Amino acid sequence: MTEPNQTADTPRTNREYAVVHLDDDRQFLTLTEQLLGRYAPALRYRGVTTVDELEQRLADVDADCVVVDHGRRGVDAAAVLASPAVTTVPVVVFGDPDVPRDETVREVADASVRKGRGLEPFERLAATLRRVTGAGSTDAEEPTVGAE
């Protein structure tokens, strides 16, 4: 069904895309949520810190994408990717640049974004999430890195 003043060919601009992000660092999740709100406002973001929390959130919400940390400690991305809870949604691995990707992560993940310094990794994550979820065609013009 279309909204008033909208044709069937016009994309809906008020659609939100649910993204659940698993990372063991609560402060990093908070930062990511703030920056994704800036770079990809159509994403409805929720951070979780445990696999149990991720599975519960996926049971409660029709998620459009899952982001999984791949780092030196905490989250085992390969184990999460093997979980039946994430097999029905696209998965983006957001990992430390110095941690090698194992074969399972490379084969199963729909996309991978390297963490790093500054805002660029968050802008790349936002762009990847817009592409993976389909939100890219509905967001308003996105700010560039460093824009206020």
Side-chain angles (χ1 to χ4, degrees):
M1 186 163 132
T2 60
E3 307 249 343
N5 301 323
Q6 183 179 24
T7 67
D9 295 330
T10 306
R12 293 183 60 185
T13 57
N14 60 349
R15 162 96 157 82
E16 290 186 335
Y17 298 83
V19 174
V20 182
H21 182 175
L22 173 63
D23 194 304
D24 60 337
D25 183 341
R26 176 63 62 192
Q27 289 179 332
F28 186 78
L29 289 171
T30 300
L31 175 63
T32 304
E33 179 176 14
Q34 292 169 349
L35 291 171
L36 286 181
R38 178 179 177 186
Y39 294 129
L43 300 178
R44 190 177 70 244
Y45 177 89
R46 171 66 183 255
V48 297
T49 57
T50 67
V51 174
D52 289 340
E53 240 185 311
L54 173 67
E55 290 174 349
Q56 182 60 50
R57 187 70 181 164
L58 291 175
D60 294 344
V61 173
D62 187 20
D64 294 292
C65 185
V66 170
V67 177
V68 178
D69 173 43
H70 187 61
R72 286 165 266 159
R73 58 177 173 74
V75 177
D76 178 0
V80 174
L81 290 168
S83 167
V86 299
T87 59
T88 61
V89 296
V91 177
V92 174
V93 175
F94 193 33
D96 292 330
D98 57 340
V99 176
R101 304 280 190 258
D102 65 28
E103 194 166 322
T104 302
V105 172
R106 281 193 304 273
E107 289 179 1
V108 178
D110 294 278
S112 179
V113 177
R114 297 266 183 186
K115 290 180 180 176
R117 295 184 181 261
L119 297 175
E120 290 84 5
F122 298 98
E123 188 174 58
R124 285 192 309 269
L125 178 62
T128 299
L129 292 173
R130 286 192 309 268
R131 179 180 50 80
V132 169
T133 63
S137 62
T138 61
D139 284 349
E141 181 178 328
E142 298 297 324
T144 58
V145 172
E148 291 296 312

